[in-house]
């Protein structure tokens, strides 16, 4: 029986989130006006659009803050669909009692990130709600850009035999938030929160580039499960090949978390034809953000179809499924 009451688990980005989103979109799908479940929508005329809400706690964390996170999250949704981040709209919901100087500091951070990307703030809105209605502030960002590739980057383009890559080490955003929230400082641990367009745009000329997805809530594991279920193919991973930083692994060991499901905000998964995999890896490693880029697995028609398996470090093999419930709410 499906849940009838929304819980924090429905915001995990895992199985419960997928069920809730499916329920919320049902009315649109019945009328054949529902969106495709990709990071950004491809619009007529060669444009792309995305919308995302941010309610991270704490609002300022190791390696970033909610303003920087908003711009990176929106820009990355466009980048993985091959669209340049050109315009941004921001809607603020502020809790009565919040310091205006604090709110302005997040806008300074957002503006700095926009300037680095050549992104213009085109629209905005501000609302103030009574104390207790929200925890401090919520930012909603809407980004708009031009599609820069002639080929559609989509889950539907993933083929049997494709190579799976990840652009950097996983789990750093979720681990940084956990470190701040639980007062468990880890030396050198920072969120990976960063705009991916400078690293991903040089890949767009590759004929074998099939699909890209930034790993946010639910982490790398959830992204690959979504791809496997959408394509009906089998995704096999090599645990030893997946880059995980020492700081992330240490924190996960203490808290009992799996790095595979820890949130990222500057990391993407890629599916690439085998003929272009080495070139994609070479190009990625030229970016300072992607020095740890790696080949982590492949796509096949093996059984069980529509699922993800992983060869473990100790020589075993296990299935990787979407997480159920919420291990760390309000991370993005």
């Amino acid at each position: 029986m499906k849940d009838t009451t929304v819980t924090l688990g429905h915001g995990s980005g895992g199985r419960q989130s997928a069920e809730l989103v499916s329920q919320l979109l049902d009315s649109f799908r019945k009328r054949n006006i529902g969106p495709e479940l990709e990071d950004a929508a491809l619009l007529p005329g060669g444009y792309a659009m995305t919308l995302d809400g941010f309610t991270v706690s704490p609002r300022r964390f190791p390696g970033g803050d909610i303003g920087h996170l908003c711009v990176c999250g929106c820009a990355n949704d466009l980048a993985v669909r091959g669209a340049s981040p050109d315009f941004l709209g921001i809607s603020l919901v502020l809790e009565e009692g919040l310091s205006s100087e604090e709110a302005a500091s997040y806008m300074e951070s957002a503006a700095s990130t926009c300037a680095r990307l050549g992104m213009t703030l085109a629209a905005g809105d501000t609302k103030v709600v009574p104390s207790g209605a929200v925890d401090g502030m919520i930012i909603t960002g809407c980004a708009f850009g031009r599609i820069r590739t002639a080929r559609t980057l989509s889950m539907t383009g993933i083929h049997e035999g494709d190579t799976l890559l990840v652009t950097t080490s996983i789990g750093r955003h979720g681990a940084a938030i956990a470190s701040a929230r639980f007062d468990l400082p880890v030396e050198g641990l920072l969120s990976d929160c960063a705009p991916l367009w400078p690293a991903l745009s040089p890949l767009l000329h590759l004929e074998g580039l099939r699909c890209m997805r930034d790993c946010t809530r639910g982490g790398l594991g959830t992204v690959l499960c979504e791809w496997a279920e959408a394509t009906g193919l089998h995704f096999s991973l090599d645990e030893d090949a997946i880059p995980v930083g020492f700081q992330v692994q240490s924190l996960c060991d203490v808290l009992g978390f799996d790095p595979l499901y820890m949130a990222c905000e500057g990391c993407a998964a890629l599916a690439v034809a085998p003929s272009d995999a080495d070139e994609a890896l070479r190009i990625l490693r030229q970016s300072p953000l992607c020095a740890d880029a790696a080949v982590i697995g492949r796509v096949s028609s093996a059984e069980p179809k529509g699922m993800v398996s992983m060869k473990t470090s100790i020589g075993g093999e296990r299935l990787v499924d979407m997480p159920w419930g919420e291990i760390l709410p309000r991370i993005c």
Side-chain angles (χ1 to χ4, degrees), residues 52-54 66-67 70 90-93 106-107 137-141:
D52 206 345
F54 300 87
I66 192 171
C70 172
I90 290 180
S91 174
L92 300 177
V93 178
Y106 301 136
M107 293 302 97
M137 67 186 296
I138 295 174
I139 304 180
T140 299

Side-chain angles (χ1 to χ4, degrees), residues 5 11 48 159 161 165 169 173-174 184 198 218 220 228-229 231 234 268 274 293 301:
T5 301
H159 297 173
L165 294 87
S169 63
H173 180 68
L184 293 170
L220 174 66
E229 292 182 9
T231 60
H234 184 89
S301 59

Side-chain angles (χ1 to χ4, degrees), residues 171 175 244 247-260 262:
V244 182
Q247 296 94 339
V248 171
Q249 188 63 64
S250 298
L251 193 80
C252 286
D253 288 344
V254 169
L255 296 174
F257 295 160
D258 186 341
L260 208 55
M262 297 295 280

Side-chain angles (χ1 to χ4, degrees), residues 59-79:
R59 292 185 288 275
R60 193 177 303 282
F61 49 83
D65 60 49
I66 192 171
H68 178 58
L69 178 66
C70 172
V71 178
C72 292
C74 292
N76 291 347
D77 284 348
L78 293 177

